[in-house]
Amino acid sequence: MEKESTKTIKTELSYTLKVWQTTAIVCLSLIVILFVHVAFNILLMTFMGVLIAVYFHGLADFITQKTKINRKFSLFISIAGTIVLLSAMIWIIGSTVQQQAAQLSHALPQIIATAKVKLAGSAAGQQLLGYTTGDNSKKLLDTAGNFFSSSFGMIGDLYIILFLGIFFTADPALYKNSLLAIVPPQHEADGSIIWSRISTALKAWIKTKLISTVLITIVIALGLMIIGLPGTLVLGLIAGLLDIIPNFGPVIAMIPGVLLGLMISPQMAVITALIYVACQTIVGSIFMPLIQKKMTNIPPAITMVSQLIMGVICGLMGIILAVPILLVLAIVVDELYIKKKKAARSSKQAVNHS
């Protein structure tokens, strides 16, 4: 009788302990979700700082590989060379860009008015105009406002991102070791592999995006210059910068150029659109295979959905960072789940065959 009573007490204690453990896990999960929701923009800025550090170290690796000079000196050249190159570009083309931007800004009301007149001449154009007036116009503006909103303001964000990038660049081993220190000992090797894969993939993504941005800027600017469209350098820069946003960036970049062409003639608008599409297609077909060699293949539909979700939650920064974040998550899932699942399946098949 006494043994049964003791057994009953132990069962009740075990059940009570499981209830408390479940409650604690649920509460901890809610706290983590609440923290992530509140601090999500800060986490995105931290990730942007990581990308800056990855860029500097990737360039330093390239310099060391080609010149065989000291790693620290290569890193200094990477940072100083980037600053000097950006300053030189601003000094050389800054005045031209400013002048063309002012001209386009001054002509923008006339461009929009002319585009509305041209569109009103067709049934499809009238339907399109219907989506950009009244309540629909307000919805579009609200959506744009959400996309381009930011937690601390653009200037404040840039300062924070820059300083975070400097800290991560200065001593990446410190942050790597800190992250690996909280990983269970049995998974430390997995953590090192994941870190290495993420670093390689992000370097490939940044490298390809930089090359693609430069080429898109040059090719589109030259193409629009050949057909005689004004403000070609600004339009090329807009297309190059927006190329960092897959799916949506090229479409958004095409809008000002097509509107400017429509102000001249419908034929010019069509030719302008064809130039944008041709340039984006050529550059994409050349460089996308290069990036896919070192990156986990992510289905386009998942990429687009992640961009939409991140855009609604975090604005422009979320849209820009959606792909590299998705890339990191894909690598983590691949290492911690998919590879282990495949290995377990192979072991099971081997046992069955034997």
Side-chain angles (χ1 to χ4, degrees):
M1 186 74 178
E2 198 173 311
K3 289 182 179 180
E4 291 181 359
S5 178
T6 304
K7 187 176 180 181
T8 303
I9 292 172
K10 286 183 177 179
T11 303
E12 290 177 352
L13 287 174
S14 177
Y15 176 76
T16 304
L17 182 61
K18 288 180 179 178
V19 170
W20 279 109
Q21 286 177 340
T22 304
T23 305
I25 292 172
V26 171
C27 291
L28 182 61
S29 301
L30 290 174
I31 291 171
V32 170
I33 292 170
L34 181 62
F35 172 77
V36 170
H37 175 71
V38 172
F40 203 68
N41 280 318
I42 298 175
L43 295 175
L44 285 182
M45 287 189 288
T46 303
F47 188 72
M48 186 75 83
V50 170
L51 289 178
I52 292 174
V54 169
Y55 160 76
F56 284 133
H57 281 280
L59 183 57
D61 291 340
F62 177 78
I63 295 171
T64 302
Q65 183 182 358
K66 296 298 181 182
T67 61
K68 308 299 181 184
I69 61 177
N70 183 273
R71 182 65 173 72
K72 290 185 177 179
F73 189 56
S74 296
L75 188 58
F76 171 77
I77 294 175
S78 169
I79 298 171
T82 299
I83 295 173
V84 170
L85 181 62
L86 288 175
S87 301
M89 287 176 59
I90 293 172
W91 182 69
I92 293 171
I93 67 174
S95 58
T96 304
V97 171
Q98 186 177 6
Q99 183 181 2
Q100 290 187 4
Q103 291 174 351
L104 290 176
S105 178
H106 180 71
L108 187 59
Q110 184 182 354
I111 293 172
I112 294 174
T114 304
K116 285 183 177 180
V117 171
K118 301 279 188 183
L119 290 172
S122 65
Q126 290 174 3
Q127 188 175 3
L128 181 61
L129 287 174
Y131 286 112
T132 58
T133 57
D135 293 337
N136 289 318
S137 176
K138 186 177 183 302
K139 289 178 183 178
L140 288 172
L141 291 174
D142 291 341
T143 303
N146 289 332
F147 274 6
F148 290 91
S149 61
S150 182
S151 56
F152 300 107
M154 186 62 72
I155 302 299
D157 286 354
L158 290 176
Y159 274 113
I160 294 171
I161 290 167
L162 180 61
F163 279 109
L164 286 173
I166 292 172
F167 293 144
F168 293 143
T169 302
D171 194 1
L174 172 65
Y175 303 99
K176 176 183 178 180
N177 294 334
S178 299
L179 285 174
L180 292 179
I182 63 175
V183 175
Q186 64 270 25
H187 296 296
E188 195 168 335
D190 292 332
S192 297
I193 293 172
I194 290 171
W195 179 280
S196 178
R197 281 191 62 186
I198 289 174
S199 176
T200 301
L202 290 180
K203 285 176 183 177
W205 181 79
I206 292 172
K207 174 184 175 181
T208 306
K209 281 300 174 185
L210 285 174
I211 297 174
S212 176
T213 295
V214 172
L215 282 180
I216 286 290
T217 300
I218 294 173
V219 173
I220 287 184
L222 288 175
L224 297 180
M225 188 183 298
I226 290 172
I227 65 173
L229 208 65
T232 53
L233 187 55
V234 172
L235 294 173
L237 281 172
I238 291 172
L241 292 174
L242 288 176
D243 184 66
I244 198 172
I245 307 174
N247 303 315
F248 303 107
V251 177
I252 298 171
M254 190 189 302
I255 293 173
V258 173
L259 287 176
L260 198 59
L262 189 61
M263 193 173 109
I264 299 173
S265 70
Q267 292 78 10
M268 180 64 78
V270 172
I271 294 172
T272 302
L274 290 175
I275 288 176
Y276 274 98
V277 172
C279 293
Q280 295 284 356
T281 302
I282 292 170
V283 174
S285 63
I286 292 173
F287 288 99
M288 279 309 294
L290 296 179
I291 195 171
Q292 286 173 350
K293 288 180 181 178
K294 295 184 178 181
M295 287 176 58
T296 302
N297 191 23
I298 302 172
I302 295 178
T303 301
M304 184 173 291
V305 170
S306 68
Q307 285 180 290
L308 291 171
I309 294 172
M310 293 290 287
V312 171
I313 296 173
C314 308
L316 180 61
M317 189 182 295
I319 300 175
I320 294 172
L321 296 180
V323 173
I325 289 175
L326 192 61
L327 173 63
V328 171
L329 293 175
I331 291 173
V332 172
V333 172
D334 183 56
E335 286 292 335
L336 297 182
Y337 178 71
I338 296 176
K339 281 190 174 181
K340 294 184 185 301
K341 183 180 177 181
K342 288 180 179 178
R345 186 181 298 168
S346 299
S347 300
K348 186 177 179 181
Q349 289 175 349
V351 170
N352 292 335
H353 285 304
S354 62

